[in-house]
Amino acid sequence: MIPRLRRVRALILHRTSIREKDRIVDVFSLEEGRLRLLAAGVRRFPSRRAGHLEPLMESEIVVSASPRGDSIRDSRVLRAFPRVREHLDRLRVAYYVLRLLREGTPERLPDARLYDALLALLRALDRPEAKVTLLFALSADLQLLRHLGVLPDTGTCAHCRQRLRAGEFGFDSRASGFFCRECAPSLEPAPQLTNTVKLLRVLTRNPVPPPRLRVPAEAVSTLAALVRRLLRPVHAQVG
Ligand SMILES: [Zn+2]
């Protein structure tokens, strides 16, 4: 039987050794989404191939399909993110991104927009002048929520479907959405929520936080709390 070969571009997420020389490599690929791949005999070729399959590499991988599953036939590094590896604060964010992809994305659900967004984030972290802020991890969270189809709609009220106006947002965690003032007569005007919604929109549109973006700290912490709540089912599923 001739194995079916295909070529994918992928971020290496995680690697586990099985048996003496084999490894299981988790990747998130542009073409096919998250995949578990067998890398047979990797340790025999440390210089030629093993390095291409380290976490936090973007590699081109030739995948060979067999009844036992997909395995790696060949690979080459596209990006190694050297400056991310030199700085602990950058590395921490990068590993968070890899963990989100590994734990949060369903297997074989391709999403080019998610791939491009998170790759752009990692490339921004690799720039010489990169300044790590909370917004990087928050942006990655939002991209994942969009991928899973649970990013709250900031344009319309989750209850009455009317257009939402600035200064009149509330957030309903049960509906996982924003609601308008009319739907919550007791709702206090919440200016910090207006900034939170603005921040959510900016980061959804620009995965790499604009360097000159000025955001009140309150908006960041409110959005972070909201995102944590929305991500809880994702992490619970994994755990
Ligand atoms: Zn409403």
Side-chain angles (χ1 to χ4, degrees), residues 113-114 116-118 120-121 138-140 142-143 146 151-152 154-155 163 194-210 213 223:
R113 190 173 158 193
L114 181 66
D116 290 342
L118 295 185
L121 260 186
L138 204 47
S139 169
L142 290 172
Q143 310 308 322
R146 187 203 52 77
L151 190 68
T154 61
R163 276 209 71 74
T194 298
N195 284 327
T196 301
V197 167
K198 269 189 209 156
L199 179 60
L200 193 158
R201 286 176 181 158
V202 168
L203 290 180
T204 310
R205 258 183 266 126
N206 317 275
V208 177
L213 186 66
L223 184 58

Side-chain angles (χ1 to χ4, degrees), residues 132-195:
V132 177
T133 67
L134 277 178
L135 296 183
F136 279 85
L138 204 47
S139 169
D141 288 336
L142 290 172
Q143 310 308 322
L144 178 66
L145 291 173
R146 187 203 52 77
H147 171 73
L148 298 172
V150 292
L151 190 68
D153 179 2
T154 61
T156 50
C157 172
H159 292 217
C160 69
R161 301 283 152 201
Q162 297 293 313
R163 276 209 71 74
L164 287 168
R165 288 186 300 271
E168 300 191 345
F169 298 109
F171 184 75
D172 183 342
S173 59
R174 277 166 308 172
S176 278
F178 293 94
F179 59 91
C180 71
R181 199 174 175 80
E182 285 74 29
C183 285
S186 63
L187 179 67
E188 294 296 315
Q192 80 280 10
L193 212 49
T194 298
N195 284 327

Side-chain angles (χ1 to χ4, degrees), residues 101-120:
L101 285 170
R102 179 163 169 245
E103 297 182 357
T105 62
E107 237 177 307
R108 296 178 194 278
L109 181 64
D111 183 346
R113 190 173 158 193
L114 181 66
Y115 188 92
D116 290 342
L118 295 185
L119 188 69

